[in-house]
Amino acid sequence: MADVGTANLENGGKGAESDDEALLVFMPSGKRGRFARGTPILTAARQLGVDIDSVCGGRGICGRCQVVVSEGEFAKLGVTSDAHHLSDFSSVEQRYADKRGMKPGRRLSCSAQLLGDLVIDVPADSQVHKQVVRKRAEMRDITLDPVIRLHYVEVQEPDMHDPTGDLQRLEKALKAQWDLEGLDCDVRAIQGLQQALRKGEWKVTVAVHQGKQITAVWPGFQDRIYGFAVDVGSTTIAGHLCDLATGEVVASSGLMNPQIRFGEDLMSRVSYVMMNPGGDADMTKAVREALNDLVQAVAREAGCTVNDILECTFVGNPIMHHLLLGINPIELGWAPFALATDGPVQIWASEIDLHVHPNARIYVLPCIAGHVGADTAGVILSETPYEAEEMTLIVDVGTNAEIVLGNKHKLLAASSPTGPAFEGAQISCGQRAAPGAVERVRIDRNTLEPRFKVIGCDLWSDHPDFAKETEAFGVTGVCGSGIIEALAEMFLAGILTQDGVVDGSMAAKSQRIQADGRTFFYLLHDGQPQLKITQNDIRAIQLAKAALYAGARLLMDKLGVDKVERITLAGAFGSHIDVKYAMVLGMIPDCDLAKVTSAGNAAGTGARIALLNRAARDEIARVVKQVEKIETAVEAKFQEHFIEAMALPHKTAPYPHLAKAVNLPEPKTAAQPEGDDGGRRRRRRG
């Protein structure tokens, strides 16, 4: 590269023009300056503080510093820009283009030299802090700025006249070539340093953590490292493998949390620990083994090795958080539900037996309270209610629902014990979401005949080709979104009363309503297996949805508001719910349906943000300290709200927005099977 002096910075209005200099303007930043002709564009960019990426340090190897010449008259900039004001395509650029390919018009800024006045455009994919676009329009993009950065260096070989150690010469090279100094180095990195230097013929790639710590050294040029973002849920564990250079999710996978065998919900797992000394260690071992299976799966899918993973982030509810870290969760089983720590945790991956790069780091997002964990912190980081003016309700629907309410002025958070019914558990025909599971339901208002969709088939069940299309897996059960829609449709069709009772008088209208002892059921599918919606199924959903609504209503009371302006349903289950049916059941308060959205696995997205943007870690640590925690277990008003929320959609709360979207039935009393009065009297006496 050409040897150049200091830039004559025009944006500061200093210095005089020279015939030996040319004006260079970078877009979209607008930064500009005058530089000696022959100055590499990357060198000028660095002097101006322009955001251009590079791993190889200007050697034309990584190709991340690509730029484009903007040609023409730029009156506002005072520049006539011409492609001929840039040096010819060099042999270095040609070698890179032949090897890896390059879009037409692109140049390597480390090789291309300034010959005359120029306007240079820095494409988004060439920026260090590039934006990682999110799928939902209302969500902010992620600014890519991971804690790990790669630096390619050439190290001076040792000789008999210079006894300096290899590490010291590496540090000298990093200072000279990357302006990095005062670095620490882990012993694990030192252990492989000499072998890497000699194998790479004194050219190595160095991973630096937080700009402070050397964590890995590879022989030669390495331009790809990965990060792993994980949501450890009580039912499922979901992981996303990300390319730390681009922010792209290159592989995703999930599996059932094997801790389920110790208890379906969180409190049953704490009870297991209380009753079985060493039970916490068993659950810790189980979840860590599952994580190693998961990391192997995503590495295989991405075509990399687990040793390429240098950074991991985790979220999870408080009990999952403690068990992952090997902390006994027993104190979370009773008041005052004390956390071992509510701050972020940063450790080596080896400390939780995670088989990734031996010197990889782990960051666990902070918890908020004893029943509101790092998963809720992830949701908050993903959805940023603390930046909104609207009164926003966020519900992470799972075995234990986490609820956040507020806006930029104040945030409240609580947990509500919904149980596993929303995920198909405790339902007679319920099952996990899998091919063959009913996920959508419609009931004809006149005939009460149902039609449905199952996972794995786009056809409705009344389509002539439905049986053929589902032959491979059949109709196997009803998953969470299916049970929600089934109950909501039963209510809208008049099969269910406001109190959630199957109206036996409707049996005269359809054979789908059949007696079941002292109650009735609705026959959703008369096949193998039969899928019945029983009174017990309905009660299980009522209990879950009442707990969810009561938690939200309690936070509204605490904040002194009667309505919310936006509702976000988070969680894997929340992303599959039709928000209209969630409101028909009364899972959530009334709201403009256009402002009710699903966020998918927002907790996992929060973990991904913390993986890809180091500033986000400080941001969420600051925000969670400002969140007011409400403990539903000690709030007397919670029970009152719970009882009223058992009704569909609610006993007393108005739903004006919902009433505009659907025809809500008038309240009615259910008919009982013949001869049931005596049975009911006997139960009361007993």
mmCIF file of all heavy atoms in Angstrom, residues 120 178 193 210 397 429 443 449 613:
data_model
loop_
_atom_site.group_PDB
_atom_site.id
_atom_site.type_symbol
_atom_site.label_atom_id
_atom_site.label_comp_id
_atom_site.label_asym_id
_atom_site.label_seq_id
_atom_site.Cartn_x
_atom_site.Cartn_y
_atom_site.Cartn_z
ATOM 1 N N ILE A 120 -17.315 8.057 -3.315
ATOM 2 C CA ILE A 120 -17.278 6.604 -3.123
ATOM 3 C C ILE A 120 -18.485 6.174 -2.287
ATOM 4 O O ILE A 120 -18.743 6.736 -1.214
ATOM 5 C CB ILE A 120 -15.979 6.174 -2.399
ATOM 6 C CG1 ILE A 120 -14.772 6.345 -3.322
ATOM 7 C CG2 ILE A 120 -16.082 4.738 -1.895
ATOM 8 C CD1 ILE A 120 -14.714 5.334 -4.458
ATOM 9 N N TRP A 178 -2.985 -3.091 13.282
ATOM 10 C CA TRP A 178 -4.399 -2.871 13.619
ATOM 11 C C TRP A 178 -4.606 -1.832 14.720
ATOM 12 O O TRP A 178 -5.732 -1.596 15.138
ATOM 13 C CB TRP A 178 -5.055 -4.185 14.041
ATOM 14 C CG TRP A 178 -5.272 -5.132 12.902
ATOM 15 C CD1 TRP A 178 -4.497 -6.187 12.543
ATOM 16 C CD2 TRP A 178 -6.339 -5.085 11.953
ATOM 17 N NE1 TRP A 178 -4.998 -6.813 11.437
ATOM 18 C CE2 TRP A 178 -6.144 -6.161 11.052
ATOM 19 C CE3 TRP A 178 -7.438 -4.252 11.764
ATOM 20 C CZ2 TRP A 178 -7.005 -6.415 9.992
ATOM 21 C CZ3 TRP A 178 -8.300 -4.507 10.707
ATOM 22 C CH2 TRP A 178 -8.079 -5.573 9.838
ATOM 23 N N LEU A 193 -0.533 -21.092 20.283
ATOM 24 C CA LEU A 193 0.012 -19.978 19.518
ATOM 25 C C LEU A 193 1.201 -20.381 18.650
ATOM 26 O O LEU A 193 1.245 -20.085 17.452
ATOM 27 C CB LEU A 193 0.408 -18.847 20.469
ATOM 28 C CG LEU A 193 1.151 -17.661 19.843
ATOM 29 C CD1 LEU A 193 0.292 -16.995 18.778
ATOM 30 C CD2 LEU A 193 1.561 -16.664 20.921
ATOM 31 N N GLN A 210 -13.992 -8.168 22.721
ATOM 32 C CA GLN A 210 -14.246 -6.844 23.303
ATOM 33 C C GLN A 210 -13.085 -5.870 23.082
ATOM 34 O O GLN A 210 -12.936 -4.902 23.833
ATOM 35 C CB GLN A 210 -14.506 -6.958 24.820
ATOM 36 C CG GLN A 210 -15.711 -7.784 25.188
ATOM 37 C CD GLN A 210 -16.994 -6.964 25.276
ATOM 38 O OE1 GLN A 210 -17.136 -5.971 24.590
ATOM 39 N NE2 GLN A 210 -17.909 -7.387 26.122
ATOM 40 N N VAL A 397 -46.141 -16.294 25.624
ATOM 41 C CA VAL A 397 -47.041 -17.392 25.966
ATOM 42 C C VAL A 397 -46.268 -18.700 26.020
ATOM 43 O O VAL A 397 -45.687 -19.133 25.026
ATOM 44 C CB VAL A 397 -48.178 -17.507 24.936
ATOM 45 C CG1 VAL A 397 -49.208 -18.522 25.401
ATOM 46 C CG2 VAL A 397 -48.837 -16.157 24.715
ATOM 47 N N CYS A 429 -57.224 -34.759 23.515
ATOM 48 C CA CYS A 429 -56.742 -35.045 22.164
ATOM 49 C C CYS A 429 -55.525 -34.187 21.816
ATOM 50 O O CYS A 429 -55.144 -34.076 20.653
ATOM 51 C CB CYS A 429 -57.854 -34.814 21.137
ATOM 52 S SG CYS A 429 -58.519 -33.128 21.155
ATOM 53 N N ILE A 443 -66.054 -23.696 12.320
ATOM 54 C CA ILE A 443 -67.309 -24.416 12.560
ATOM 55 C C ILE A 443 -68.449 -23.648 11.906
ATOM 56 O O ILE A 443 -68.623 -22.445 12.156
ATOM 57 C CB ILE A 443 -67.576 -24.587 14.070
ATOM 58 C CG1 ILE A 443 -66.479 -25.457 14.700
ATOM 59 C CG2 ILE A 443 -68.949 -25.219 14.316
ATOM 60 C CD1 ILE A 443 -66.595 -25.612 16.207
ATOM 61 N N GLU A 449 -71.052 -28.125 11.657
ATOM 62 C CA GLU A 449 -70.054 -29.036 11.103
ATOM 63 C C GLU A 449 -68.680 -28.348 11.084
ATOM 64 O O GLU A 449 -68.564 -27.180 10.694
ATOM 65 C CB GLU A 449 -70.432 -29.459 9.687
ATOM 66 C CG GLU A 449 -71.486 -30.544 9.627
ATOM 67 C CD GLU A 449 -70.993 -31.843 10.269
ATOM 68 O OE1 GLU A 449 -69.960 -32.385 9.814
ATOM 69 O OE2 GLU A 449 -71.638 -32.292 11.244
ATOM 70 N N ASN A 613 -24.681 -7.692 18.756
ATOM 71 C CA ASN A 613 -24.430 -6.293 19.072
ATOM 72 C C ASN A 613 -24.031 -6.160 20.536
ATOM 73 O O ASN A 613 -24.848 -6.336 21.425
ATOM 74 C CB ASN A 613 -25.671 -5.448 18.777
ATOM 75 C CG ASN A 613 -25.428 -3.977 19.014
ATOM 76 O OD1 ASN A 613 -25.447 -3.513 20.137
ATOM 77 N ND2 ASN A 613 -25.202 -3.235 17.944
#
